[in-house]
Amino acid sequence: KAGVTQTPRYLIKTRGQQVTLSCSPISGHRSVSWYQQTPGQGLQFLFEYFSETQRNKGNFPGRFSGRQFSNSRSEMNVSTLELGDSALYLCASSSDYNEQFFGPGTRLTVL
Amino acid sequence: AQSVTQLGSHVSVSEGALVLLRCNYSSSVPPYLFWYVQYPNQGLQLLLKYTSAATLVKGINGFEAEFKKSETSFHLTKPSAHMSDAAEYFCAVRVFSGGYNKLIFGAGTRLAVHP
């Protein structure tokens, strides 16, 4: 099976812009979770989608949003970018919570 | 609240030496515990998992971890370090929140292996 893919791998944006990141889970996986990884805060859970519904959410402001499509692909959107949003954004898919499979991440730089 | 604590943000060992990365968890219910590895510019890869079966869990690349309920620990070990083991390692616990499961990660331990 193909692994989790994330696009793009690298992004450079300026403050105030918005960005959309994409994640394609492993075939057959219906759960997609998003994480933000920064040197200062480590790995932080953003949200999880299952069958097109958000069923879990971390402690991030409303500027961070996501969605999932009927084919389980997921997107996350960050609006009004801030310098502190610079991070590696990781997507993970799962068929159950005994194991999550991670993508390579999208590295976002906000200037 | 359920959480994990990784003791030591940086660990350095010689090639061939024992690797010991420490993880303590806090959980009010029998936990599901995981160790992940992250190589530079890559995502996380599962090394091993504990799901309430055998307390000694063997994973990939020669790593293993032992679940010790009395010590609330799940330390990761490898008898002989290899240069390719240099990476960041994350311990995680599955928690039940808002009606569903999610993973909570520790802060990570960066392992350096020197010749």
Side-chain angles (χ1 to χ4, degrees):
Chain A
K1 282 187 179 178
V4 178
T5 58
Q6 292 187 245
T7 57
R9 290 294 311 277
Y10 301 91
L11 264 179
I12 300 176
K13 293 286 187 178
T14 56
R15 279 180 298 174
Q17 287 187 309
Q18 75 163 15
V19 67
T20 299
L21 312 182
S22 180
C23 171
S24 292
I26 291 172
S27 177
H29 287 189
R30 295 163 65 189
S31 167
V32 174
S33 297
W34 288 90
Y35 297 85
Q36 182 196 63
Q37 186 178 26
T38 59
Q41 300 297 319
L43 270 162
Q44 292 187 287
F45 173 77
L46 279 156
F47 31 64
E48 185 224 353
Y49 286 86
F50 183 88
S51 293
E52 302 180 63
T53 301
Q54 185 185 89
R55 68 177 187 180
N56 228 329
K57 191 176 190 303
N59 296 322
F60 279 81
R63 300 186 296 107
F64 292 81
S65 63
R67 59 178 176 170
Q68 187 180 33
F69 302 94
S70 58
N71 62 358
S72 294
R73 188 177 71 85
S74 177
E75 290 181 346
M76 68 162 282
N77 183 275
V78 188
S79 62
T80 320
L81 284 166
E82 301 177 0
L83 294 179
D85 296 333
S86 294
L88 181 67
Y89 290 88
L90 292 165
C91 161
S93 77
S94 175
S95 59
D96 61 42
Y97 259 95
N98 285 337
E99 186 167 349
Q100 285 194 318
F101 295 83
F102 283 79
T106 293
R107 184 164 297 281
L108 172 64
T109 301
V110 182
L111 303 175
Chain B
Q2 293 159 307
S3 65
V4 289
T5 302
Q6 291 184 241
L7 301 175
S9 59
H10 290 81
V11 170
S12 181
V13 300
S14 300
E15 192 174 18
L18 171 72
V19 175
L20 171 60
L21 305 182
R22 300 176 187 274
C23 173
N24 287 88
Y25 69 90
S26 168
S27 176
S28 57
V29 298
Y32 279 29
L33 295 160
F34 307 81
W35 275 100
Y36 283 85
V37 61
Q38 185 179 32
Y39 298 101
N41 298 315
Q42 294 187 28
L44 277 67
Q45 180 184 7
L46 182 70
L47 276 176
L48 49 79
K49 61 187 177 186
Y50 169 76
T51 58
S52 72
T55 56
L56 182 62
V57 182
K58 293 187 183 299
I60 62 171
N61 302 338
F63 284 94
E64 63 181 37
E66 186 173 7
F67 173 72
K68 291 188 177 181
K69 184 178 179 180
S70 61
E71 299 177 7
T72 61
S73 69
F74 190 56
H75 301 332
L76 182 70
T77 60
K78 181 174 181 178
S80 177
H82 192 272
M83 298 295 287
S84 61
D85 294 327
E88 188 153 23
Y89 292 80
F90 294 91
C91 182
V93 62
R94 190 183 76 174
V95 302
F96 192 72
S97 171
Y100 299 101
N101 292 313
K102 67 178 182 181
L103 289 182
I104 302 295
F105 286 87
T109 297
R110 188 168 297 278
L111 174 67
V113 182
H114 51 87

